[in-house]
Amino acid sequence: MDVGRADLRPRDLRHVVLVGPMAVGKSTVGEALAGRLGRPLRDSDRDLAGARGTTGRELAAAEGVAALHRWEADHLLAALDADVPSVVTAAASTVDDARCRAALAPHVVVWLTAGPEVLAARLAAVGRARDDRDAGGAGGARDAGGAGAHDGEGHRRPVGATEAAALAARRDAAFRDVADLTVDAGERPPGEVVATVLAALPAGSGPSRVSHVGICVADLDRALRFYRDGLGFEPTESYEVGPEFGRLMEIDGVVLRSQFLRRDGVTVELLHFEAPGWSGGGERRPVNRLGLTHLSVRVADVGAAAARVVQAGGMVVDGTRTTFGEGADVLDFVYCTDPDGTRIELMRLPGQR
C-alpha cells in the first residue's frame, strides 16, 4: 500500500530522497526517476565507487563498518546541501544518524518497502553475483532491484525471509519517521513504482516532458503544406525569432520563422532561417549516420499514405517498401522524404485501422 502525508503536495521541493532497506531497489528506481524528472542522480553506491574506487563491502572490510556508515552519512548530507535539485538514493544506514534525519526534513522522502521473501531473493542474487565476480566472473554487486547489499553486513551467504524481515524491520521506525510517502517496491515493476512517486510529488516538481522535434526547412510554406496536408499535422503556434536566440542556436544574426504543428501528441517545429540562411543540399541522410534518423507515422494504408505524400510535395524512396505477412496481420513499411530530404517512415501494423 502507498501511504502519503497530507501535507506532501504543498511542500517546497528541493531534493527527492529514496530510503529503504538493502536490496529494495533504490538504485533502479532512482535512475529511472532522475531521468523522468530531468535531475542529477546522487547514488550512494555509485558515488562511493567513483570517489574511492571501492565498494561498501570492501570499505567495511578495510576500515570497519563504522567507517562505511560515516561515509554514507557524509554522502547524504553533502547531496542534500547541494543547490541543484537532485534525486538522492540514501544508504539504509543513514537513518541511524541524527544529523541525516534532521537534514531530510525539508525534502521529499520516499520510503521503498518490499516483503521479506522479495528482499531475501534479491539479497541471495547479490550474493551469487558477488561470488561470481570474486571467482573471476562478470557478475556485478547489484541485485535485481538495483540496490547494492553492502551495509557492512557482508551478505555472501543465503538470507532467508525471516532474517531479511528482521534486517529491514530494525530501521522501520526511523524510515517511517522521515518518510513523506511509502511505496511498495516489491512485486511491482520499477516503472510502476516511479509512476506512483511522480503522481505524489508536489505541484511544480513534476517530470520533464518531451516538448517537440525541430526540422530545418528551406521553404516554410512548402514544408507546412507537406506536414499539414500530406501527414495530417495541425498547425498551432508560429513565431518570429530574432538575434536574442543567437546564443542558444550558436548562430550570429539569426532571423527565423518558426511554425509548430501537432498530431497524436507529437509536436514538430518547422524552422526557416531567413538569416543567415540554411546549409545542406536537402540530400536524404543515411539511416546509419549518427544523429536523428527519421520521423515515423502510423497509417492505415501505406500505399494510400505514400500517394498523398507525393501529392503534398514529398517523395517516396523507391525500393524501400517492405511487407511482412498478409491480410489483417500485415506489417507494411516505406520510407519517404519531405521536400527538404528529411526521412519519413510510413508504417502499418497489425490490428491498425
Side-chain angles (χ1 to χ4, degrees):
M1 184 173 74
D2 305 321
V3 181
R5 288 183 182 172
D7 63 345
L8 176 57
R9 287 190 177 276
R11 295 181 66 186
D12 179 34
L13 176 68
R14 287 193 63 204
H15 303 294
V16 177
V17 186
L18 303 182
V19 301
M22 296 178 297
V24 77
K26 296 190 294 286
S27 293
T28 297
V29 172
E31 185 97 43
L33 185 62
R36 289 295 307 278
L37 290 172
R39 295 176 173 218
L41 174 66
R42 297 296 309 274
D43 180 83
S44 179
D45 292 342
R46 178 185 299 175
D47 290 355
L48 174 59
R52 301 282 295 269
T54 188
T55 66
R57 184 171 70 98
E58 292 166 347
L59 177 57
E63 302 180 24
V65 173
L68 169 63
H69 288 178
R70 282 195 299 273
W71 191 94
E72 291 171 334
D74 289 344
H75 172 270
L76 176 60
L77 292 171
L80 296 180
D81 193 48
D83 292 332
V84 178
S86 303
V87 173
V88 183
T89 63
S93 67
T94 55
V95 294
D96 298 335
D97 191 308
R99 299 173 303 156
C100 292
R101 294 195 301 272
L104 287 169
H107 306 289
V108 174
V109 181
V110 181
W111 175 20
L112 300 183
T113 66
E117 294 82 5
V118 173
L119 293 176
R122 292 180 179 175
L123 288 167
V126 171
R128 288 193 298 271
R130 183 180 297 131
D131 288 340
D132 289 344
R133 183 195 63 194
D134 291 346
R142 289 183 182 273
D143 65 272
H150 57 75
D151 199 35
E153 310 288 355
H155 292 305
R156 299 190 61 185
R157 54 184 169 75
V159 176
T162 300
E163 186 174 359
L167 288 169
R170 69 179 187 151
R171 291 186 175 113
D172 276 3
F175 288 141
R176 186 175 295 107
D177 185 56
V178 300
D180 298 294
L181 179 71
T182 302
V183 180
D184 184 351
E187 302 294 344
R188 303 160 73 179
E192 186 176 323
V193 176
V194 170
T196 300
V197 175
L198 289 172
L201 289 180
S205 62
S208 57
R209 301 182 183 277
V210 176
S211 173
H212 62 276
V213 176
I215 301 173
C216 181
V217 301
D219 184 315
L220 186 59
D221 292 335
R222 181 181 68 177
L224 176 60
R225 176 172 178 262
F226 175 82
Y227 284 93
R228 179 192 62 206
D229 302 338
L231 297 182
F233 280 80
E234 293 290 336
T236 55
E237 303 88 359
S238 61
Y239 301 97
E240 300 288 335
V241 178
E244 66 275 10
F245 279 93
R247 180 176 180 177
L248 173 66
M249 296 184 174
E250 300 180 290
I251 298 176
D252 292 331
V254 63
V255 177
L256 70 85
R257 294 170 59 203
S258 163
Q259 175 66 59
F260 285 84
L261 304 99
R262 187 173 180 84
R263 174 185 168 177
D264 302 330
V266 176
T267 301
V268 298
E269 179 188 15
L270 306 179
L271 300 104
H272 171 64
F273 287 85
E274 298 179 355
W278 60 94
S279 63
E283 301 86 0
R284 187 170 69 254
R285 297 176 76 252
V287 175
N288 63 344
R289 180 176 295 171
L290 296 179
L292 295 176
T293 61
H294 66 285
L295 174 68
S296 185
V297 179
R298 292 183 62 170
V299 298
D301 186 306
V302 168
R308 183 59 186 150
V309 161
V310 173
Q311 287 182 336
M315 181 187 76
V316 176
V317 182
D318 293 333
T320 65
R321 184 74 174 266
T322 302
T323 304
F324 305 98
E326 58 185 21
D329 295 327
V330 69
L331 287 79
D332 198 6
F333 307 87
V334 73
Y335 273 133
C336 306
T337 67
D338 74 0
D340 297 296
T342 300
R343 193 181 291 262
I344 309 293
E345 178 187 44
L346 304 178
M347 68 176 184
R348 192 266 185 197
L349 301 180
Q352 185 171 322
R353 296 180 179 179

